[in-house]
Amino acid sequence: MTDYDVLAEVYEWLISDAKLPPAEFAASFDDVLSLLPSNAQVLDCSCGTGQLAVGLAGRGLQVVATDASEAMVRRTAELSEEFGASVRAVRASWEELPDHFEDGTFDLVFCVGNSLHHAAGATGRGVALESMSRLLRPGGRLVLTSRTWELVRARGSRLDISDRLVRRNGRDAVVVYRWEIAPTWEEEHHIEIAIAQVDATGLVQVRSELLSCWPYRSEELEVELHRVGLRTEASTFDLEAENYLVVASKVQTPGSLPYLT
């Protein structure tokens, strides 16, 4: 699992304008949130700096936010305090989730922000998805967003430099992605993300982090979800789109109580 301890301090430059306000980030998931019972238990298991978790708490949901990066968890707690939101922030990798929460605790689990590719290969993804599935109540849902890795690999190794300045906290920055695409799907790939900030004097400060990732095909993800007891309800996968969203529900086992919507 890759840490984001360096990028955590400047992560807001990687969040789109539309999703920077917590309420608007949560609103982007209105369709699935409308299916929840009141006072539902929700887990954001790749919380980043907490925009989604804080937005969900603002709706009256009981929210837990986890991340493998201690710095991300700290920033989530700070954002929660800033907005007066009740969010429990816990440092935990995906494989550690069952150590912190009982099976069947949550009505909804989020794994968004193109996070799953940081799990180490098919084995790591399987462990991560198994942990998420275990924590869902029967009939509960997993909401996952992913890069379209078929498109990423087709473009090959490259340097992507933003063509505009991004302004956050009164400072401008340029975001740069350097992609190292391995020869085969199964090998470890790398993304180096650099944020070049321009201060008031015109000096440039660069923060960067090299991140490991293991891509997967959309059909592989479908199979892996099914393997851990999750049934895909909806997918926006499109070979020409940069990202897609998957909503999968926890299959009810004989004798389990129905999920109320």
Side-chain angles (χ1 to χ4, degrees):
M1 179 65 185
T2 298
D3 288 331
Y4 276 77
D5 288 337
V6 174
L7 290 179
E9 303 306 321
V10 290
Y11 195 72
E12 53 265 50
W13 274 270
L14 301 178
I15 303 173
S16 68
D17 293 343
K19 293 182 177 180
L20 194 61
E24 293 188 26
F25 199 163
S28 68
F29 298 104
D30 273 347
D31 288 350
V32 70
L33 292 175
S34 68
L35 303 174
L36 288 173
S38 60
N39 209 34
Q41 302 281 333
V42 179
L43 170 66
D44 181 358
C45 68
S46 49
C47 65
T49 48
Q51 276 74 17
L52 176 57
V54 170
L56 294 169
R59 290 171 169 243
L61 301 170
Q62 303 300 304
V63 181
V64 177
T66 64
D67 201 282
S69 166
E70 187 68 51
M72 289 293 197
V73 171
R74 173 181 52 77
R75 292 212 59 196
T76 295
E78 291 171 352
L79 189 70
S80 301
E81 184 176 356
E82 177 185 341
F83 279 81
S86 180
V87 174
R88 179 187 172 195
V90 179
R91 197 223 66 80
S93 62
W94 291 311
E95 59 267 27
E96 294 169 336
L97 290 174
D99 298 331
H100 292 271
F101 311 103
E102 294 183 2
D103 291 0
T105 295
F106 298 100
D107 301 285
L108 185 64
V109 172
F110 282 96
C111 180
V112 298
N114 295 313
S115 301
L116 188 61
H117 63 253
H118 293 310
T123 299
R125 280 195 309 278
V127 171
L129 293 171
E130 172 67 22
S131 293
M132 297 177 210
S133 180
R134 283 181 56 179
L135 299 190
L136 279 170
R137 293 171 181 159
R141 293 176 173 88
L142 168 67
V143 177
L144 185 149
T145 62
S146 174
R147 295 186 188 278
T148 304
W149 280 99
E150 293 86 346
L151 187 60
V152 173
R153 280 187 50 82
R155 291 170 174 168
S157 299
R158 64 193 185 280
L159 191 66
D160 287 340
I161 304 174
S162 175
D163 60 359
R164 70 182 185 93
L165 289 172
V166 179
R167 175 162 283 262
R168 297 284 185 267
N169 306 320
R171 298 184 66 182
D172 293 320
V174 171
V175 179
V176 178
Y177 287 81
R178 183 176 65 85
W179 301 82
E180 293 180 9
I181 305 301
T184 68
W185 280 87
E186 294 74 24
E187 294 178 73
E188 181 178 354
H189 293 44
H190 293 95
I191 309 171
E192 184 175 11
I193 303 176
I195 298 174
Q197 296 174 304
V198 184
D199 66 20
T201 67
L203 295 176
V204 176
Q205 179 184 22
V206 179
R207 298 197 188 195
S208 68
E209 198 151 20
L210 183 64
L211 306 171
S212 296
C213 54
W214 287 264
Y216 47 85
R217 300 172 180 85
S218 60
E219 59 263 31
E220 287 180 283
L221 178 60
E222 180 91 13
V223 170
E224 290 165 352
L225 288 168
H226 186 268
R227 189 175 294 139
V228 298
L230 297 170
R231 181 185 67 247
T232 301
E233 291 185 351
S235 173
T236 63
F237 176 74
D238 182 337
L239 270 175
E240 297 182 359
E242 299 286 340
N243 305 281
Y244 62 100
L245 176 144
V246 174
V247 179
S249 60
K250 179 75 172 286
V251 176
Q252 296 190 37
T253 57
S256 63
L257 295 175
Y259 180 78
L260 301 178
T261 60

